[in-house]
Amino acid sequence: MPVLTEDRFSGAAHYIVSEANGYRSREQVVIASGSGVLKAGTVLGKVAASGKYAPYNPTLATGVETAAAILYEGCDAADGDVRRTATVRDAEIHAEALQWDAGVTTDQHKTDALTDLAGSGIIAR
């Protein structure tokens, strides 16, 4: 009989400790084309020019340098915009379960992102 293993950091919403009643913590967002294949738990920023979301990257100056949401479920936005659910407010999350873009290269970048998210009531534990 084969042994099955599961990556505890791969399923939809795996990063959530708790969230507001109903769906108040979540919104439908558009992930910008060119964002690539993203896993659930990816920290997102909001592109100022379009209002779409893309992976948080503190080295850019497009709006994504400010963390604004966390991707609820994975997606492939390499070749086109994709509509997905994101946590945007009032939730507790597992900080170690978050996924980070390659542009997030230091612990300070992560700390800054978690501070941004705390402003929306998304609190890292």
Side-chain angles (χ1 to χ4, degrees), residues 64-116:
V64 299
E65 68 276 10
T66 302
I70 303 171
L71 187 62
Y72 187 86
E73 57 199 328
C75 69
D76 183 351
D79 297 322
D81 291 349
V82 178
R83 182 174 296 280
R84 283 293 185 267
T85 301
T87 301
V88 298
R89 70 182 70 80
D90 301 332
E92 292 177 291
I93 52 104
H94 290 287
E96 73 277 0
L98 297 177
Q99 304 292 315
W100 301 97
D101 183 73
V104 180
T105 58
T106 68
D107 286 340
Q108 186 61 51
H109 289 159
K110 292 178 182 180
T111 298
D112 292 346
L114 295 176
T115 300
D116 293 343

Side-chain angles (χ1 to χ4, degrees), residues 13-93:
H14 68 277
Y15 60 91
I16 295 176
V17 175
S18 68
E19 60 183 338
N21 288 335
Y23 299 106
R24 197 167 66 81
S25 296
R26 307 177 204 169
E27 283 185 12
Q28 289 286 305
V29 301
V30 176
I31 307 300
S33 179
S35 293
V37 176
L38 305 177
K39 291 184 177 183
T42 298
V43 178
L44 304 171
K46 190 172 186 179
V47 180
S50 67
K52 298 175 185 177
Y53 289 76
Y56 163 76
N57 187 327
T59 66
L60 299 178
T62 62
V64 299
E65 68 276 10
T66 302
I70 303 171
L71 187 62
Y72 187 86
E73 57 199 328
C75 69
D76 183 351
D79 297 322
D81 291 349
V82 178
R83 182 174 296 280
R84 283 293 185 267
T85 301
T87 301
V88 298
R89 70 182 70 80
D90 301 332
E92 292 177 291
I93 52 104

